[in-house]
Amino acid sequence: MNAVLRHWNNFTLRLAQAPYWPLALLARFSLAALFWRSGQTKISGFAVDPLDGPWQWGWPQLSDSTIYLFAEEYRLPLLAPEPAALLAALMEHLLALMLLLGIGSRIAAIGLLVMTAIIQLFVYPDAYPTHGLWAVALLALIVRGPGLVSVDHWLAHRFKS
């Protein structure tokens, strides 16, 4: 029995010494994909003025189903359906991209954690197992940072004084 405990202790000590960056990278990639896809479901394209030329980016156009969901099912307090839907779509895209690249990762994770809390409290209160998993991964990124493979890490070491 002592040999089993000794092997277990050695195993757990090795796990404790494992690098954090692969976990952080997986968390960032997974959460970014999740929120990016959610943002993609909310838009149907981009409004572009034809007079601006073919290479101009326009404002995202919300899909009819998104406007319906925000008006009839989600019903967020304090925000009208269209601005809430547009804000959600923009934040899901922007914060997901920031998280994926590791630029302002903690800020992006805080923003996505706030979005997760709003979804949990006002939209899908019975989805706490899913939102709890998102929250744990986001909290790990907030507390420990984005890891070695990130622009944040590069910038921190580049401008270290």
Side-chain angles (χ1 to χ4, degrees):
M1 188 63 148
N2 266 347
V4 172
L5 288 175
R6 192 173 56 246
H7 286 298
W8 180 254
N9 284 338
N10 287 337
F11 175 69
T12 58
L13 284 173
R14 282 192 211 130
L15 283 177
Q17 295 170 350
Y20 167 73
W21 71 264
L23 175 67
L25 185 61
L26 179 61
R28 286 181 19 234
F29 178 81
S30 301
L31 289 164
L34 182 130
F35 282 97
W36 181 271
R37 285 183 176 185
S38 177
Q40 288 289 288
T41 66
K42 291 175 178 62
I43 61 171
S44 60
F46 293 91
V48 177
D49 185 346
L51 299 176
D52 287 340
W55 301 106
Q56 299 296 319
W57 283 93
W59 201 246
Q61 290 294 303
L62 296 171
S63 67
D64 292 336
S65 61
T66 297
I67 295 169
Y68 174 82
L69 283 172
F70 273 79
E72 300 299 324
E73 189 175 328
Y74 299 166
R75 295 186 187 169
L76 298 175
L78 307 175
L79 283 174
E82 285 191 38
L86 185 60
L87 183 61
L90 289 172
M91 289 297 97
E92 284 173 326
H93 284 98
L94 176 65
L95 297 176
L97 188 59
M98 288 172 64
L99 199 62
L100 180 65
L101 298 175
I103 299 173
S105 303
R106 285 184 164 109
I107 293 167
I110 289 168
L112 293 173
L113 185 61
V114 168
M115 287 183 74
T116 299
I118 291 169
I119 294 165
Q120 175 60 40
L121 292 172
F122 298 111
V123 180
Y124 295 120
D126 292 336
Y128 56 87
T130 299
H131 300 144
L133 288 173
W134 299 356
V136 166
L138 290 164
L139 286 167
L141 292 170
I142 292 166
V143 172
R144 296 281 310 270
L148 291 172
V149 183
S150 67
V151 175
D152 288 343
H153 180 78
W154 180 81
L155 287 171
H157 285 281
R158 173 81 169 87
F159 296 106
K160 190 188 252 184
S161 38

